[in-house]
Amino acid sequence: MALRVLIGCKRVIDYAVRVRVKPDKTGVVTDGVKHSMNPFDEIAVEEAVRMREKKIASEVIAISCGPAQSQETIRTALAMGADKGIHVEIPNADMSVFQPIHVAKILAAVAKKEKIDLIIVGKQAIDDDANQTAQMTAALLDWPQATFASKIEKAGDDLAVTREIDGGLEDVKVKIPAVISADLRLNEPRYATLPNIMKAKKKPVQKLSPKDLGVDISSRIKVISVEDPPTRQAGIKVDDVDSLVAKLKEKALI
Amino acid sequence: MPSLSFRDDFSVGEISEIEESCREAASSRCSLFVDQASTDDCQGRAKVGQPLNCISLTYFFFLSTFQELDENLVESLTSILGEKRVSLTEPVREQHGRDEGPYEPMPPQMVVFPETTDEVSEVAKACYSFNVPMIPFGTGTGLEGGTLALNGGVCLDLMRMHGIGDVHAEDFFVSVRPGVTRLHLNRFIKDHGLWFPVDPGADASLCGMCATSASGTNAVKYGTMKENVLNLEVVLADGRVLHTAGKDRCTKKSSAGYNLTNLFLGSEGTLGIITEATLKLHAIPETMLSAICSFPSVKSAVETTIQIMSSSIPVARIELLDEEAMKACNAYSKTDYEIAPTLFFEFHGSEASVEAEASLVGDLSEANGGSGFRYAKTPEDRSKLWKARHDMYYAILSTKPGYRAVITDVCVPVSQLETMITETQHDFNVSGLSGPILGHVGDGNFHSFVMFDPEDDSQLKAARELASRMARRALALKGTCTGEHGVGWGKKPYLDEELGGVNVDVMRQIKAALDPKNLMNPGKVF
C-alpha cells in the first residue's frame, strides 16, 4: 500500500540574507538576492524521500508555485531524491498578492489529478510565516490533517504522527489520504550531492498554469505599503529610583 | 616611564623598577603583564642580573590606554569611514582586544569597520603615515592571542565585508570576503552539491582561517587551508593591494612566480590584511558514515590509528578522546559513552567504499582490543555524534565552573604519538592539574585543555608550565609546538627552537621587506 506523496516547496529569500525594503515601499528587494527552498519544505522533502527509501511511499512529487526561478527549487528537491516535479508558474508581478489560499486550491487540484495519498508541506514559509497552507488544503480536500509533525510512522493503514504543541507533544493517528505539515525536529535534511544533482537534471518537471487546474488566482488582498520597523530609540539613563518612577509615570507605563 | 613598550629583553632589575613606577603612578590604566613560559633554563642568568634574552623566559610590558591616538589620525579615519563605522569606546575596544584563549584582553586604541577593499587600503595608508600599528580582526575565535593589541593601534574589524562571489561550480572555487564564516559559506553553496571541508570547530571567518592557516577534524583527508586556498587579496602595510596569484585568477595549479599565496597563509596578520580569499571547493560526499569505538588504553587507540594510516585507508576524520574527555562529554552532552579512550571516525565516499572502509577499520580496532564499534548514518545521528566532540571545550569548562583553560596544540609524527600522549598524561598526574586530551590523531596532532582557577596564580603558573613542557616534548620528538592554532603571542617562545636561527632570520627579512615599520600586528609570531 505504497503512498503517492506530494511535497510543497516554496522558493523564498534565503534565511541568511539581510532583507531590505524597496525605496518605493511596494515590497522587499528580491533582484539579485539569494533565494533557496524554504527550510521547513526541505524537511518535508527529506521525510518523503525517507518514506520512499523505506518503501512506505512509491513516488514523491515535488510541486512549487512561483516564477520561472522556482524550477531551481524543484531541481533541489529532485536532487534530494524526489522522482518528478510540477511547476505552477505564477508571474513575478503577481507574487506579492499570491496567497496561501491560492496555493491550497492548487495543491488540492493537483492532489485530485495525480491521485495523491499524502501531502507534506513545511509548517510555514520563512517569508510570510503564514502557517495556513496545510490546514486550508486539508479543509478543501476534506482530508484529515496533522500539523507541526516531529515524527511520522506507519501504523497499519493509518499514519501515527507526533505533533509539537504548546504543552509538549501530542500523538495522533490520521487516516490516509491526509495532509501533514513538517516541523523543525522531524528530521535533518540531506545535502544534494553532485551525482544526484546531475541525475536530477534528467528527471521530468511538468509545467502547469493555475488555469489548467481550474484555479482562480486573482488577488484578494492589496499591498498598501511595506516599511522597515521603526528604528530603535536610544534609551535614557536616570540618576535614581525616584527619577525612574517619575519617567515611568510620565510615559503612562505605571 | 615607557609607554606602549614591548621588548623581550628586560633584566630583572628593570622589571622591578617598572613595577615600582607603576605602583607609584597608582594608575589603574597601567598594567604590567609578565608572562613566564619557563624559568628552568634561565634561573642562573636571572640571579646574575644579566639582560634576559632567552627563548624560554619572556617578559612583556604593556601600558593600556596610556597614550591616546594622534587626533589627526582619528579624524582621518573618521572621514574615510564615517562616524558610525569607527569606535573609541572602551567596551568595543576591549571586545576587539581579546580572543577565545586564556589571555587577558589587550584593547586597541581604536576600532574601525571598513566595508570595501578600498576602505581597508585607505585605512592602511593613514595608519602607515602615522606609524600606528594595525590589527586585522575576524570572528575573534583564535586561541593564541593573535588579536591582542600589544602595542595599541587600530583594529580593523573586517566582518562587515560579507560578500560571496559567484560560485564557480564547474571549476570548484568561490571567493569570499572576511565577513563570511565557514558555516555560512557551506550553507550558501550546498545546493550546488559543494562544500568547503576545513573545519576548525569554531564558526570562524574564512579569511581569518587563512591568516592562521587553520586546520581541523577533516585535515587528514582534505588537508588544511594551505592546500585549499587558490588566491588571496591582501592589503599591505602601505595600502597597496596585492593579489597573490594574480587578480581574478584561480587555476588548480600554476608555476608562475613565487608562491605568495602560501606565504600569507598562516602569517597571522603580520604581513598584510587579507580582504578576500579564493577557496577550493570539494564535492559533498555521496555518503558520510560516522563510527565510534572504545579502547582499553590510549596505547591501543594510537596503535590502531597508526595501522589505519599505514593501510592508507582514506578516513575523513579520526579523533581520539581520553577518559577525562569522555567523562566531560557524557556530562555536558548527555551522552552515554563508555568512559575509556575512544576513537571517533568518519568515512566519506560512495555507499560501497564507505562500508568497506568502516568494516576494515572495525577489524583493525577489534584486533587491538577495541570494543563497542558503533555506526551513525543518518544526518541527525551523525550531527549528534560530532556535536559532542565539537562542544568539548565548553564541556570541559563546565566540569569546573569558573575555571579557564590553557589550550595546547602539539603535533608530532604519528609514530611518536603514543610516547607524546603517555608522557603528557603522566605529567598531568604529577602536576595535579586536570584536563582532557583529544585530537586529530591521524595527523599526529592533539590538544589538551589544562584547567586552572583564574583566581589562583599558582595554578595558572603550573598550567602554563605544563603547556610549556608539552611544547618542548613535542619539539624533542621532531614535532611542532603548534599544529593548527598558530603562534600568535602564546607560542613565540618556541619559535627559535622549532625553526632554528636561520629560519627565523629569513622570516625577519621577509617581514622587514613587506612591513619595514613593523606596523602589521606587531609582537606576534616572532
Side-chain angles (χ1 to χ4, degrees):
Chain A
M1 186 247 159
L3 309 172
R4 289 174 58 75
V5 185
L6 180 69
I7 309 292
C9 322
K10 186 178 182 186
R11 176 180 178 265
V12 296
I13 294 179
D14 188 82
Y15 82 95
V17 166
R18 208 165 296 183
V19 176
R20 281 175 302 133
V21 175
K22 282 203 278 213
D24 63 7
K25 298 200 179 166
T26 56
V28 297
V29 177
T30 53
D31 279 343
V33 165
K34 181 169 204 293
H35 285 65
S36 42
M37 192 191 299
N38 181 34
F40 295 108
D41 298 341
E42 282 182 342
I43 294 174
V45 173
E46 174 66 24
E47 195 63 21
V49 172
R50 287 190 192 185
M51 285 171 96
R52 210 209 42 232
E53 284 167 353
K54 287 189 225 163
K55 311 242 197 290
I56 299 173
S58 62
E59 191 172 22
V60 176
I61 304 171
I63 179 171
S64 189
C65 308
Q69 297 99 316
S70 291
Q71 301 222 34
E72 288 160 21
T73 311
I74 297 173
R75 290 281 164 217
T76 306
L78 295 172
M80 284 173 71
D83 300 299
K84 61 185 208 200
I86 297 175
H87 175 214
V88 179
E89 184 150 11
I90 312 290
N92 221 341
D94 294 342
M95 283 307 289
S96 59
V97 290
F98 184 66
Q99 292 282 292
I101 181 67
H102 302 127
V103 179
K105 288 183 176 174
I106 290 172
L107 291 182
V110 170
K112 288 193 192 127
K113 185 167 175 289
E114 296 282 331
K115 309 224 185 339
I116 297 296
D117 301 308
L118 177 63
I119 300 178
I120 315 182
V121 292
K123 67 171 180 180
Q124 65 200 58
I126 59 172
D127 51 8
D128 59 18
D129 279 340
N131 179 14
Q132 297 168 358
T133 305
Q135 294 87 336
M136 286 199 237
T137 308
L140 287 170
L141 288 166
D142 197 26
W143 285 6
Q145 58 182 262
T147 49
F148 313 109
S150 64
K151 199 153 155 203
I152 305 175
E153 278 172 334
K154 203 117 203 312
D157 283 340
D158 303 331
L159 289 174
V161 180
T162 303
R163 302 180 59 227
E164 300 215 4
I165 60 172
D166 286 344
L169 297 172
E170 180 187 54
D171 291 323
V172 297
K173 227 196 275 193
V174 282
K175 287 187 179 349
I176 292 164
V179 178
I180 296 183
S181 78
D183 207 327
L184 191 64
R185 277 161 278 270
L186 181 57
N187 61 49
E188 199 176 310
R190 68 195 62 191
Y191 290 123
T193 63
L194 279 179
N196 288 337
I197 292 174
M198 299 306 282
K199 277 188 222 158
K201 291 190 184 163
K202 305 216 174 83
K203 293 183 182 175
V205 177
Q206 193 190 9
K207 230 160 133 198
L208 291 173
S209 74
K211 240 198 301 172
D212 295 336
L213 296 164
V215 173
D216 172 18
I217 60 158
S218 39
S219 69
R220 299 149 74 103
I221 61 166
K222 183 174 159 189
V223 175
I224 304 204
S225 92
V226 177
E227 292 169 21
D228 277 308
T231 45
R232 206 173 144 186
Q233 297 300 312
I236 42 174
K237 279 190 181 164
V238 293
D239 292 323
D240 52 36
V241 175
D242 289 331
S243 328
L244 174 62
V245 174
K247 275 269 179 239
L248 288 173
K249 282 192 176 152
E250 188 188 299
K251 305 233 177 223
L253 290 169
I254 53 168
Chain B
M1 179 74 146
S3 61
L4 289 168
S5 165
F6 166 74
R7 287 160 48 192
D8 61 0
D9 61 350
F10 289 102
S11 69
V12 171
E14 279 178 286
I15 299 275
S16 18
E17 249 179 58
I18 293 165
E19 273 177 326
E20 199 42 54
S21 323
C22 270
R23 255 173 262 132
E24 275 171 17
S27 166
S28 60
R29 297 161 124 226
C30 163
S31 54
L32 174 68
F33 192 92
V34 169
D35 181 60
Q36 206 170 297
S38 151
T39 50
D40 317 331
D41 309 2
C42 295
Q43 280 298 333
R45 269 179 275 176
K47 283 189 191 131
V48 173
Q50 294 275 331
L52 297 155
N53 197 13
C54 50
I55 332 148
S56 59
L57 191 63
T58 329
Y59 288 90
F60 299 95
F61 175 48
F62 172 70
L63 217 53
S64 64
T65 68
F66 185 80
Q67 222 173 37
E68 303 294 342
L69 263 189
D70 188 321
E71 269 179 10
N72 296 315
L73 175 59
V74 174
E75 209 183 290
S76 174
L77 294 177
T78 311
S79 75
I80 297 171
L81 299 173
E83 262 179 31
K84 292 221 174 104
R85 293 196 284 128
V86 301
S87 178
L88 293 160
T89 65
E90 210 173 302
V92 173
R93 286 168 37 230
E94 196 172 297
Q95 192 202 14
H96 286 83
R98 65 176 346 144
D99 61 12
E100 291 200 352
Y103 304 106
E104 289 301 306
M106 294 199 185
Q109 291 161 298
M110 184 175 189
V111 182
V112 298
F113 301 84
E115 286 174 4
T116 64
T117 306
D118 280 337
E119 286 178 355
V120 175
S121 174
E122 292 303 309
V123 169
K125 283 184 194 148
C127 292
Y128 190 80
S129 66
F130 282 87
N131 298 335
V132 167
M134 292 173 259
I135 302 162
F137 188 95
T139 46
T141 43
L143 297 166
E144 292 293 345
T147 49
L148 269 52
L150 299 176
N151 279 27
V154 173
C155 171
L156 288 87
D157 181 323
L158 302 167
M159 294 305 285
R160 293 199 195 186
M161 297 177 66
H162 39 61
I164 300 181
D166 290 331
V167 179
H168 295 257
E170 282 172 358
D171 291 314
F172 287 83
F173 74 82
V174 70
S175 298
V176 296
R177 296 281 175 192
V180 180
T181 65
R182 173 180 74 85
L183 290 178
H184 181 56
L185 176 67
N186 277 331
R187 281 183 210 131
F188 194 89
I189 58 178
K190 75 176 172 89
D191 286 340
H192 295 268
L194 299 170
W195 74 317
F196 185 69
V198 181
D199 172 12
D203 186 18
S205 148
L206 289 155
C207 291
M209 284 164 64
C210 290
T212 55
S213 188
S215 160
T217 47
N218 287 316
V220 65
K221 186 178 173 92
Y222 296 97
T224 68
M225 292 305 279
K226 289 203 166 83
E227 288 82 42
N228 289 291
V229 178
L230 298 167
N231 200 346
L232 289 174
E233 180 185 83
V234 183
V235 173
L236 299 171
D238 55 11
R240 283 181 298 163
V241 179
L242 163 71
H243 293 98
T244 57
K247 187 159 166 58
D248 293 335
R249 297 203 190 284
C250 30
T251 48
K252 290 197 175 151
K253 55 189 192 181
S254 166
S255 314
Y258 295 166
N259 189 346
L260 293 181
T261 306
N262 275 37
L263 172 65
F264 284 91
L265 287 174
S267 59
E268 305 188 46
T270 58
L271 296 178
I273 301 162
I274 297 174
T275 50
E276 188 175 62
T278 303
L279 306 170
K280 182 168 144 187
L281 302 175
H282 296 250
I284 293 175
E286 207 182 302
T287 317
M288 295 200 250
L289 184 121
S290 307
I292 178 175
C293 187
S294 309
F295 289 84
S297 63
V298 165
K299 186 172 163 142
S300 49
V302 173
E303 253 314 298
T304 310
T305 306
I306 294 177
Q307 285 166 9
I308 291 171
M309 301 313 292
S310 299
S311 312
S312 196
I313 298 172
V315 58
R317 283 179 160 137
I318 173 166
E319 299 281 301
L320 169 70
L321 273 71
D322 76 350
E323 288 103 328
E324 284 294 319
M326 295 310 285
K327 255 189 244 166
C329 179
N330 280 349
Y332 186 80
S333 304
K334 313 268 190 292
T335 45
D336 64 352
Y337 297 130
E338 199 187 314
I339 306 296
T342 308
L343 284 178
F344 282 65
F345 306 100
E346 190 159 274
F347 307 96
H348 294 175
S350 66
E351 279 266 10
S353 69
V354 149
E355 298 274 344
E357 287 167 30
S359 169
L360 205 49
V361 166
D363 290 341
L364 285 172
S365 304
E366 262 156 55
N368 283 299
S371 60
F373 194 76
R374 300 191 322 219
Y375 288 46
K377 233 175 155 177
T378 64
E380 296 92 341
D381 291 338
R382 281 186 31 250
S383 285
K384 219 166 122 213
L385 201 82
W386 286 105
K387 187 163 196 301
R389 158 71 187 83
H390 273 325
D391 287 346
M392 194 51 64
Y393 185 38
Y394 307 110
I396 296 301
L397 288 179
S398 73
T399 58
K400 289 206 162 117
Y403 274 50
R404 304 197 63 189
V406 170
I407 302 164
T408 67
D409 169 38
V410 297
C411 185
V412 295
V414 178
S415 56
Q416 304 299 322
L417 199 52
E418 202 243 311
T419 315
M420 184 70 213
I421 295 181
T422 324
E423 284 182 15
T424 302
Q425 282 181 320
H426 177 72
D427 206 342
F428 265 106
N429 289 336
V430 160
S431 68
L433 294 166
S434 71
I437 288 180
L438 61 150
H440 327 298
V441 286
D443 304 319
N445 177 210
F446 71 92
H447 307 291
S448 67
F449 303 133
V450 190
M451 310 247 281
F452 66 92
D453 181 352
E455 309 286 311
D456 183 347
D457 272 343
S458 69
Q459 275 196 32
L460 171 54
K461 187 161 177 284
R464 288 244 173 97
E465 280 169 9
L466 190 140
S468 168
R469 287 196 293 279
M470 267 185 81
R472 290 254 139 70
R473 198 173 293 128
L475 292 176
L477 293 170
K478 308 253 187 296
T480 165
C481 63
T482 172
E484 31 179 41
H485 295 169
V487 175
W489 180 44
K491 294 272 163 57
K492 283 180 53 169
Y494 313 103
L495 218 62
D496 255 330
E497 194 178 321
E498 177 168 333
L499 299 174
V502 176
N503 186 311
V504 177
D505 279 341
V506 171
M507 287 201 288
R508 278 190 214 277
Q509 286 174 296
I510 295 172
K511 166 87 168 165
L514 290 172
D515 180 23
K517 297 193 194 184
N518 189 19
L519 298 176
M520 298 309 305
N521 207 3
K524 308 290 167 52
V525 187
F526 56 82

